[in-house]
DNA sequence: GTGGTCTAGACCACC
DNA sequence: GTGGTCTAGACCACG
């Protein structure tokens, strides 16, 4: 998996890193249980401070995307959604962000169908390699 | 129009302010040409510094959402999109954000239809008003 | 002569007004000795405050472009350059502005010939209706 | 590089600062990728507030002259103009300013050759250096 | 009256 | 260490 960081962008590096890993997990490039690179490896590879990578991992752990196995380092940990549906915290965040994005899109002249089409297209990129639950990831 | 600010949140106050005003414009609560509260009024009302409000206004101005008329203060300024479609800069931003949101939603167990339904619902909140300036859009 | 004002621009209205009148004089549309509209007329015509027009006139007077004749109001007054060459104050200002403009143009990738060509073209717009001194105007 | 500020002048300090830095970049005194002084350093050196310097930097950043590298502070960032020519926004601004300057010069008695000579001389100050990063410009 | 600018001093997130 | 944000209070240009 390739991680691309914009060092001079406005988004903090550790957030960019967190985002890229989340995308990797979403796409299935990082399978459930798979080990992430060590902090040292990744920081060397990206040319950033170890603290930065560490912070990204802490972030992902706090959000429940990864766990730290004492022997294998950080490993991907998909939530076992026992039919419980999505957690309400995430739903709230999602709603807020979509709310703002919708407002901006509306002002910029988007029609509803345009907006929904883009949303749909964005989500589809995460449905390619899996049927529905990513279970049989190769 | 009611503006709600989380003073102790992690999002800069001026950004929250900018977001709330964008939503207000999107909903049509702030119509094209309408005057925003003065910097002093709003800062007093919210209990923040004038410079914080001023920064939010400058931000909105730079993004093209408002103009500052020397006589009337800040006024809403909708882009006169002559059928030109949306600007590519915003499209890129929108795509990026939806990309990340999709990844998170996918991991959290959303099905495509769930996600798209939420997107659709979010946008619909900005399609209710059909008076005045927003009349000819539907 | 037509005067165009951008009410919501960043340049103060009275400065825009002053600039437009200077251009008019430069082009010869306002000939030496010709009377400018009264403050009241112009302010009504442009929809701005009388104070604004008055300030523009004061500005022009201080710079030596116009004089206020007690009977005829403000009249254009071209400097009678008795072979004295240009005044050093203006030369200094001109140099400063060209200095900054050059720096920006250089950074933006202009070659010297491009820049000089634009300068030349700009000046030529003020040489159309006159031979060299605008003396036989009208 | 020496920066000179007129603290009591009519031009906002942050604008003066922005202008001086632009000139420095144009002259090559500030090379591409070079770090600018930190906000604290420069504010102390000039005897102005940190926010004033910060605003100048934000201004330069918004204009694309510098970037803020999270590790090194503000660094010069020359546009990589791939033969694309100059951007139209700047061209428009340049034309407007030259237009006004020409009008004033014409009234002050400049001949075309005088004006063009001054323009040429101004630009040449930015063509002296041919080392390092500016070497391949011809 | 308006927004824009500036100060002195503080705190915070990021690296 | 860096830049970014915020405050309280001030002054100014503009209209």
């Amino acid at each position: 998996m390739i991680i691309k960081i914009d060092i001079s962008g406005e988004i903090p590096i550790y957030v960019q890193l967190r985002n890229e890993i989340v995308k990797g997990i979403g796409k299935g490039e990082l399978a459930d249980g798979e080990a992430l690179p060590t902090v040292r490896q990744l920081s060397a590879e990206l040319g950033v401070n170890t603290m930065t990578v560490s912070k990204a991992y802490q972030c992902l752990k706090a959000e429940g995307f990864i766990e730290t196995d004492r022997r294998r380092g950080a490993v991907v940990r998909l939530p076992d959604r026992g039919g419980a549906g999505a957690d309400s915290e995430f739903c709230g965040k999602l709603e807020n962000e979509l709310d703002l994005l919708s407002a901006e899109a509306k002002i910029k002249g988007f029609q509803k169908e345009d907006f929904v089409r883009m949303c749909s297209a964005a989500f589809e990129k995460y449905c390619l390699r899996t049927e529905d639950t990513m279970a049989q990831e190769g």
Side-chain angles (χ1 to χ4, degrees), chain A residues 96-130:
Chain A
N96 280 337
E97 304 227 2
L98 288 175
D99 190 15
L100 183 57
L101 249 23
S102 297
E104 292 177 352
K106 176 71 180 173
I107 297 173
K108 296 284 186 183
F110 276 66
Q111 299 296 327
K112 186 186 164 191
E113 55 247 36
D114 301 325
F115 184 73
V116 172
R117 196 178 307 118
M118 281 190 72
C119 294
S120 182
F123 196 88
E124 271 165 10
K125 296 203 296 184
Y126 295 95
C127 299
L128 301 179
R129 302 178 56 196
T130 85

mmCIF file of all heavy atoms in Angstrom, chain A residues 96-130:
data_model
loop_
_atom_site.group_PDB
_atom_site.id
_atom_site.type_symbol
_atom_site.label_atom_id
_atom_site.label_comp_id
_atom_site.label_asym_id
_atom_site.label_seq_id
_atom_site.Cartn_x
_atom_site.Cartn_y
_atom_site.Cartn_z
ATOM 1 N N ASN A 96 -22.973 15.724 10.526
ATOM 2 C CA ASN A 96 -22.443 17.083 10.571
ATOM 3 C C ASN A 96 -21.640 17.420 9.332
ATOM 4 O O ASN A 96 -21.807 18.480 8.735
ATOM 5 C CB ASN A 96 -21.542 17.263 11.808
ATOM 6 C CG ASN A 96 -22.346 17.508 13.054
ATOM 7 O OD1 ASN A 96 -23.493 17.952 12.977
ATOM 8 N ND2 ASN A 96 -21.760 17.216 14.199
ATOM 9 N N GLU A 97 -20.767 16.530 8.959
ATOM 10 C CA GLU A 97 -19.912 16.808 7.807
ATOM 11 C C GLU A 97 -20.713 16.877 6.521
ATOM 12 O O GLU A 97 -20.479 17.742 5.672
ATOM 13 C CB GLU A 97 -18.813 15.737 7.700
ATOM 14 C CG GLU A 97 -17.989 15.618 8.980
ATOM 15 C CD GLU A 97 -16.504 15.591 8.705
ATOM 16 O OE1 GLU A 97 -16.094 15.704 7.534
ATOM 17 O OE2 GLU A 97 -15.744 15.457 9.679
ATOM 18 N N LEU A 98 -21.654 15.970 6.375
ATOM 19 C CA LEU A 98 -22.490 15.993 5.170
ATOM 20 C C LEU A 98 -23.347 17.249 5.140
ATOM 21 O O LEU A 98 -23.629 17.802 4.069
ATOM 22 C CB LEU A 98 -23.376 14.748 5.110
ATOM 23 C CG LEU A 98 -22.666 13.436 4.784
ATOM 24 C CD1 LEU A 98 -23.640 12.267 4.875
ATOM 25 C CD2 LEU A 98 -22.048 13.487 3.395
ATOM 26 N N ASP A 99 -23.741 17.696 6.323
ATOM 27 C CA ASP A 99 -24.540 18.903 6.431
ATOM 28 C C ASP A 99 -23.779 20.087 5.830
ATOM 29 O O ASP A 99 -24.279 20.795 4.948
ATOM 30 C CB ASP A 99 -24.853 19.149 7.909
ATOM 31 C CG ASP A 99 -25.875 20.247 8.109
ATOM 32 O OD1 ASP A 99 -26.551 20.627 7.128
ATOM 33 O OD2 ASP A 99 -25.998 20.733 9.246
ATOM 34 N N LEU A 100 -22.560 20.262 6.294
ATOM 35 C CA LEU A 100 -21.749 21.379 5.807
ATOM 36 C C LEU A 100 -21.439 21.247 4.323
ATOM 37 O O LEU A 100 -21.557 22.207 3.552
ATOM 38 C CB LEU A 100 -20.445 21.465 6.611
ATOM 39 C CG LEU A 100 -19.526 22.621 6.260
ATOM 40 C CD1 LEU A 100 -20.232 23.956 6.410
ATOM 41 C CD2 LEU A 100 -18.279 22.573 7.133
ATOM 42 N N LEU A 101 -21.058 20.033 3.930
ATOM 43 C CA LEU A 101 -20.742 19.791 2.521
ATOM 44 C C LEU A 101 -21.966 20.091 1.638
ATOM 45 O O LEU A 101 -21.841 20.680 0.550
ATOM 46 C CB LEU A 101 -20.332 18.327 2.354
ATOM 47 C CG LEU A 101 -18.893 17.961 2.017
ATOM 48 C CD1 LEU A 101 -17.898 19.020 2.407
ATOM 49 C CD2 LEU A 101 -18.522 16.631 2.641
ATOM 50 N N SER A 102 -23.125 19.702 2.099
ATOM 51 C CA SER A 102 -24.348 19.953 1.337
ATOM 52 C C SER A 102 -24.590 21.442 1.167
ATOM 53 O O SER A 102 -24.946 21.916 0.078
ATOM 54 C CB SER A 102 -25.559 19.340 2.056
ATOM 55 O OG SER A 102 -25.430 17.941 2.138
ATOM 56 N N ALA A 103 -24.401 22.170 2.263
ATOM 57 C CA ALA A 103 -24.615 23.618 2.206
ATOM 58 C C ALA A 103 -23.702 24.239 1.157
ATOM 59 O O ALA A 103 -24.148 25.021 0.307
ATOM 60 C CB ALA A 103 -24.355 24.241 3.569
ATOM 61 N N GLU A 104 -22.450 23.868 1.201
ATOM 62 C CA GLU A 104 -21.497 24.428 0.238
ATOM 63 C C GLU A 104 -21.860 24.039 -1.185
ATOM 64 O O GLU A 104 -21.815 24.865 -2.103
ATOM 65 C CB GLU A 104 -20.081 23.967 0.583
ATOM 66 C CG GLU A 104 -19.581 24.563 1.899
ATOM 67 C CD GLU A 104 -18.201 24.060 2.287
ATOM 68 O OE1 GLU A 104 -17.701 23.133 1.624
ATOM 69 O OE2 GLU A 104 -17.635 24.585 3.255
ATOM 70 N N ALA A 105 -22.223 22.775 -1.354
ATOM 71 C CA ALA A 105 -22.575 22.298 -2.694
ATOM 72 C C ALA A 105 -23.803 23.033 -3.214
ATOM 73 O O ALA A 105 -23.855 23.449 -4.377
ATOM 74 C CB ALA A 105 -22.828 20.791 -2.664
ATOM 75 N N LYS A 106 -24.779 23.197 -2.332
ATOM 76 C CA LYS A 106 -26.008 23.913 -2.731
ATOM 77 C C LYS A 106 -25.672 25.319 -3.210
ATOM 78 O O LYS A 106 -26.138 25.764 -4.268
ATOM 79 C CB LYS A 106 -26.958 23.978 -1.537
ATOM 80 C CG LYS A 106 -28.224 24.776 -1.781
ATOM 81 C CD LYS A 106 -29.156 24.043 -2.724
ATOM 82 C CE LYS A 106 -30.438 24.847 -2.979
ATOM 83 N NZ LYS A 106 -31.271 24.228 -4.002
ATOM 84 N N ILE A 107 -24.847 26.011 -2.430
ATOM 85 C CA ILE A 107 -24.482 27.376 -2.796
ATOM 86 C C ILE A 107 -23.721 27.403 -4.117
ATOM 87 O O ILE A 107 -23.904 28.294 -4.938
ATOM 88 C CB ILE A 107 -23.623 28.020 -1.687
ATOM 89 C CG1 ILE A 107 -24.426 28.134 -0.392
ATOM 90 C CG2 ILE A 107 -23.138 29.403 -2.124
ATOM 91 C CD1 ILE A 107 -23.622 28.587 0.801
ATOM 92 N N LYS A 108 -22.880 26.400 -4.304
ATOM 93 C CA LYS A 108 -22.092 26.348 -5.537
ATOM 94 C C LYS A 108 -22.936 25.964 -6.742
ATOM 95 O O LYS A 108 -22.440 25.898 -7.863
ATOM 96 C CB LYS A 108 -20.954 25.338 -5.389
ATOM 97 C CG LYS A 108 -19.933 25.686 -4.324
ATOM 98 C CD LYS A 108 -18.995 26.783 -4.772
ATOM 99 C CE LYS A 108 -17.901 26.999 -3.725
ATOM 100 N NZ LYS A 108 -17.001 28.107 -4.104
ATOM 101 N N GLY A 109 -24.193 25.645 -6.502
ATOM 102 C CA GLY A 109 -25.077 25.406 -7.625
ATOM 103 C C GLY A 109 -25.358 23.944 -7.942
ATOM 104 O O GLY A 109 -25.930 23.623 -8.978
ATOM 105 N N PHE A 110 -24.950 23.060 -7.062
ATOM 106 C CA PHE A 110 -25.228 21.640 -7.301
ATOM 107 C C PHE A 110 -26.726 21.368 -7.217
ATOM 108 O O PHE A 110 -27.425 21.931 -6.374
ATOM 109 C CB PHE A 110 -24.528 20.780 -6.247
ATOM 110 C CG PHE A 110 -23.100 20.466 -6.562
ATOM 111 C CD1 PHE A 110 -22.150 21.469 -6.603
ATOM 112 C CD2 PHE A 110 -22.697 19.157 -6.813
ATOM 113 C CE1 PHE A 110 -20.822 21.180 -6.885
ATOM 114 C CE2 PHE A 110 -21.373 18.860 -7.098
ATOM 115 C CZ PHE A 110 -20.442 19.868 -7.130
ATOM 116 N N GLN A 111 -27.188 20.497 -8.074
ATOM 117 C CA GLN A 111 -28.527 19.948 -7.935
ATOM 118 C C GLN A 111 -28.412 18.708 -7.068
ATOM 119 O O GLN A 111 -27.340 18.114 -6.958
ATOM 120 C CB GLN A 111 -29.110 19.573 -9.307
ATOM 121 C CG GLN A 111 -29.254 20.743 -10.254
ATOM 122 C CD GLN A 111 -30.237 21.792 -9.749
ATOM 123 O OE1 GLN A 111 -31.219 21.456 -9.085
ATOM 124 N NE2 GLN A 111 -29.966 23.053 -10.031
ATOM 125 N N LYS A 112 -29.521 18.303 -6.496
ATOM 126 C CA LYS A 112 -29.494 17.154 -5.593
ATOM 127 C C LYS A 112 -28.917 15.912 -6.267
ATOM 128 O O LYS A 112 -28.094 15.209 -5.699
ATOM 129 C CB LYS A 112 -30.908 16.847 -5.089
ATOM 130 C CG LYS A 112 -30.947 15.758 -4.022
ATOM 131 C CD LYS A 112 -32.384 15.396 -3.653
ATOM 132 C CE LYS A 112 -32.427 14.073 -2.915
ATOM 133 N NZ LYS A 112 -33.821 13.577 -2.784
ATOM 134 N N GLU A 113 -29.346 15.677 -7.495
ATOM 135 C CA GLU A 113 -28.864 14.465 -8.162
ATOM 136 C C GLU A 113 -27.350 14.487 -8.379
ATOM 137 O O GLU A 113 -26.684 13.455 -8.274
ATOM 138 C CB GLU A 113 -29.593 14.251 -9.496
ATOM 139 C CG GLU A 113 -29.516 15.419 -10.454
ATOM 140 C CD GLU A 113 -30.887 16.063 -10.666
ATOM 141 O OE1 GLU A 113 -31.680 16.126 -9.696
ATOM 142 O OE2 GLU A 113 -31.162 16.503 -11.779
ATOM 143 N N ASP A 114 -26.797 15.684 -8.671
ATOM 144 C CA ASP A 114 -25.343 15.791 -8.856
ATOM 145 C C ASP A 114 -24.628 15.379 -7.576
ATOM 146 O O ASP A 114 -23.670 14.603 -7.592
ATOM 147 C CB ASP A 114 -24.942 17.239 -9.189
ATOM 148 C CG ASP A 114 -25.627 17.748 -10.443
ATOM 149 O OD1 ASP A 114 -25.819 16.931 -11.370
ATOM 150 O OD2 ASP A 114 -25.952 18.931 -10.492
ATOM 151 N N PHE A 115 -25.133 15.954 -6.481
ATOM 152 C CA PHE A 115 -24.488 15.703 -5.190
ATOM 153 C C PHE A 115 -24.562 14.216 -4.836
ATOM 154 O O PHE A 115 -23.557 13.597 -4.493
ATOM 155 C CB PHE A 115 -25.182 16.546 -4.114
ATOM 156 C CG PHE A 115 -24.558 16.440 -2.761
ATOM 157 C CD1 PHE A 115 -23.341 17.051 -2.489
ATOM 158 C CD2 PHE A 115 -25.185 15.736 -1.745
ATOM 159 C CE1 PHE A 115 -22.766 16.956 -1.235
ATOM 160 C CE2 PHE A 115 -24.615 15.637 -0.490
ATOM 161 C CZ PHE A 115 -23.409 16.251 -0.235
ATOM 162 N N VAL A 116 -25.752 13.672 -4.969
ATOM 163 C CA VAL A 116 -25.937 12.264 -4.602
ATOM 164 C C VAL A 116 -25.094 11.360 -5.492
ATOM 165 O O VAL A 116 -24.535 10.362 -5.030
ATOM 166 C CB VAL A 116 -27.428 11.883 -4.660
ATOM 167 C CG1 VAL A 116 -27.600 10.379 -4.469
ATOM 168 C CG2 VAL A 116 -28.210 12.649 -3.605
ATOM 169 N N ARG A 117 -24.992 11.741 -6.749
ATOM 170 C CA ARG A 117 -24.189 10.922 -7.665
ATOM 171 C C ARG A 117 -22.725 10.886 -7.211
ATOM 172 O O ARG A 117 -22.083 9.848 -7.230
ATOM 173 C CB ARG A 117 -24.297 11.467 -9.090
ATOM 174 C CG ARG A 117 -23.814 10.474 -10.138
ATOM 175 C CD ARG A 117 -23.973 11.013 -11.560
ATOM 176 N NE ARG A 117 -25.326 11.473 -11.824
ATOM 177 C CZ ARG A 117 -25.636 12.744 -12.122
ATOM 178 N NH1 ARG A 117 -24.685 13.649 -12.211
ATOM 179 N NH2 ARG A 117 -26.893 13.098 -12.324
ATOM 180 N N MET A 118 -22.227 12.059 -6.792
ATOM 181 C CA MET A 118 -20.840 12.088 -6.324
ATOM 182 C C MET A 118 -20.664 11.253 -5.060
ATOM 183 O O MET A 118 -19.658 10.573 -4.889
ATOM 184 C CB MET A 118 -20.402 13.534 -6.059
ATOM 185 C CG MET A 118 -20.040 14.280 -7.329
ATOM 186 S SD MET A 118 -19.257 15.881 -6.989
ATOM 187 C CE MET A 118 -17.642 15.355 -6.398
ATOM 188 N N CYS A 119 -21.631 11.309 -4.166
ATOM 189 C CA CYS A 119 -21.571 10.529 -2.940
ATOM 190 C C CYS A 119 -21.542 9.043 -3.277
ATOM 191 O O CYS A 119 -20.756 8.270 -2.734
ATOM 192 C CB CYS A 119 -22.784 10.829 -2.059
ATOM 193 S SG CYS A 119 -22.818 12.514 -1.427
ATOM 194 N N SER A 120 -22.405 8.690 -4.182
ATOM 195 C CA SER A 120 -22.511 7.298 -4.583
ATOM 196 C C SER A 120 -21.211 6.804 -5.204
ATOM 197 O O SER A 120 -20.702 5.733 -4.871
ATOM 198 C CB SER A 120 -23.669 7.163 -5.577
ATOM 199 O OG SER A 120 -23.841 5.823 -5.948
ATOM 200 N N ALA A 121 -20.663 7.638 -6.089
ATOM 201 C CA ALA A 121 -19.413 7.270 -6.751
ATOM 202 C C ALA A 121 -18.282 7.119 -5.751
ATOM 203 O O ALA A 121 -17.446 6.216 -5.856
ATOM 204 C CB ALA A 121 -19.056 8.332 -7.795
ATOM 205 N N ALA A 122 -18.268 7.995 -4.758
ATOM 206 C CA ALA A 122 -17.205 7.939 -3.755
ATOM 207 C C ALA A 122 -17.279 6.630 -2.975
ATOM 208 O O ALA A 122 -16.268 5.962 -2.740
ATOM 209 C CB ALA A 122 -17.316 9.128 -2.803
ATOM 210 N N PHE A 123 -18.480 6.258 -2.616
ATOM 211 C CA PHE A 123 -18.629 5.042 -1.810
ATOM 212 C C PHE A 123 -18.283 3.785 -2.596
ATOM 213 O O PHE A 123 -17.743 2.829 -2.059
ATOM 214 C CB PHE A 123 -20.052 4.949 -1.252
ATOM 215 C CG PHE A 123 -20.195 3.968 -0.131
ATOM 216 C CD1 PHE A 123 -19.968 4.358 1.185
ATOM 217 C CD2 PHE A 123 -20.540 2.646 -0.382
ATOM 218 C CE1 PHE A 123 -20.080 3.453 2.226
ATOM 219 C CE2 PHE A 123 -20.650 1.731 0.660
ATOM 220 C CZ PHE A 123 -20.428 2.130 1.960
ATOM 221 N N GLU A 124 -18.602 3.829 -3.879
ATOM 222 C CA GLU A 124 -18.381 2.642 -4.707
ATOM 223 C C GLU A 124 -16.910 2.247 -4.791
ATOM 224 O O GLU A 124 -16.588 1.077 -5.002
ATOM 225 C CB GLU A 124 -18.937 2.875 -6.115
ATOM 226 C CG GLU A 124 -20.397 2.463 -6.222
ATOM 227 C CD GLU A 124 -21.052 3.017 -7.466
ATOM 228 O OE1 GLU A 124 -20.330 3.548 -8.337
ATOM 229 O OE2 GLU A 124 -22.284 2.932 -7.569
ATOM 230 N N LYS A 125 -16.046 3.228 -4.630
ATOM 231 C CA LYS A 125 -14.621 2.890 -4.687
ATOM 232 C C LYS A 125 -14.224 1.934 -3.563
ATOM 233 O O LYS A 125 -13.169 1.303 -3.621
ATOM 234 C CB LYS A 125 -13.780 4.175 -4.567
ATOM 235 C CG LYS A 125 -13.987 5.130 -5.723
ATOM 236 C CD LYS A 125 -12.821 6.070 -5.891
ATOM 237 C CE LYS A 125 -12.683 6.977 -4.672
ATOM 238 N NZ LYS A 125 -11.595 7.971 -4.874
ATOM 239 N N TYR A 126 -15.059 1.849 -2.560
ATOM 240 C CA TYR A 126 -14.754 0.968 -1.428
ATOM 241 C C TYR A 126 -15.535 -0.335 -1.479
ATOM 242 O O TYR A 126 -15.589 -1.077 -0.519
ATOM 243 C CB TYR A 126 -15.009 1.714 -0.123
ATOM 244 C CG TYR A 126 -14.057 2.870 0.028
ATOM 245 C CD1 TYR A 126 -14.417 4.136 -0.356
ATOM 246 C CD2 TYR A 126 -12.758 2.658 0.492
ATOM 247 C CE1 TYR A 126 -13.528 5.192 -0.281
ATOM 248 C CE2 TYR A 126 -11.864 3.695 0.576
ATOM 249 C CZ TYR A 126 -12.257 4.957 0.188
ATOM 250 O OH TYR A 126 -11.360 5.987 0.264
ATOM 251 N N CYS A 127 -16.160 -0.609 -2.614
ATOM 252 C CA CYS A 127 -16.955 -1.825 -2.736
ATOM 253 C C CYS A 127 -16.422 -2.755 -3.809
ATOM 254 O O CYS A 127 -17.074 -3.724 -4.183
ATOM 255 C CB CYS A 127 -18.407 -1.476 -3.061
ATOM 256 S SG CYS A 127 -19.207 -0.495 -1.811
ATOM 257 N N LEU A 128 -15.251 -2.438 -4.325
ATOM 258 C CA LEU A 128 -14.772 -3.200 -5.471
ATOM 259 C C LEU A 128 -14.292 -4.592 -5.116
ATOM 260 O O LEU A 128 -14.673 -5.569 -5.725
ATOM 261 C CB LEU A 128 -13.643 -2.435 -6.180
ATOM 262 C CG LEU A 128 -14.059 -1.059 -6.685
ATOM 263 C CD1 LEU A 128 -12.889 -0.370 -7.353
ATOM 264 C CD2 LEU A 128 -15.237 -1.186 -7.640
ATOM 265 N N ARG A 129 -13.476 -4.726 -4.117
ATOM 266 C CA ARG A 129 -12.823 -6.003 -3.857
ATOM 267 C C ARG A 129 -13.584 -6.885 -2.894
ATOM 268 O O ARG A 129 -13.095 -7.902 -2.440
ATOM 269 C CB ARG A 129 -11.415 -5.768 -3.312
ATOM 270 C CG ARG A 129 -10.549 -4.961 -4.262
ATOM 271 C CD ARG A 129 -9.187 -4.715 -3.653
ATOM 272 N NE ARG A 129 -8.566 -5.979 -3.285
ATOM 273 C CZ ARG A 129 -7.531 -6.061 -2.463
ATOM 274 N NH1 ARG A 129 -7.022 -4.974 -1.934
ATOM 275 N NH2 ARG A 129 -7.005 -7.227 -2.155
ATOM 276 N N THR A 130 -14.768 -6.459 -2.523
ATOM 277 C CA THR A 130 -15.476 -7.228 -1.500
ATOM 278 C C THR A 130 -16.926 -7.394 -1.923
ATOM 279 O O THR A 130 -17.441 -6.647 -2.742
ATOM 280 C CB THR A 130 -15.479 -6.484 -0.155
ATOM 281 O OG1 THR A 130 -16.571 -5.572 -0.137
ATOM 282 C CG2 THR A 130 -14.195 -5.709 0.051
#
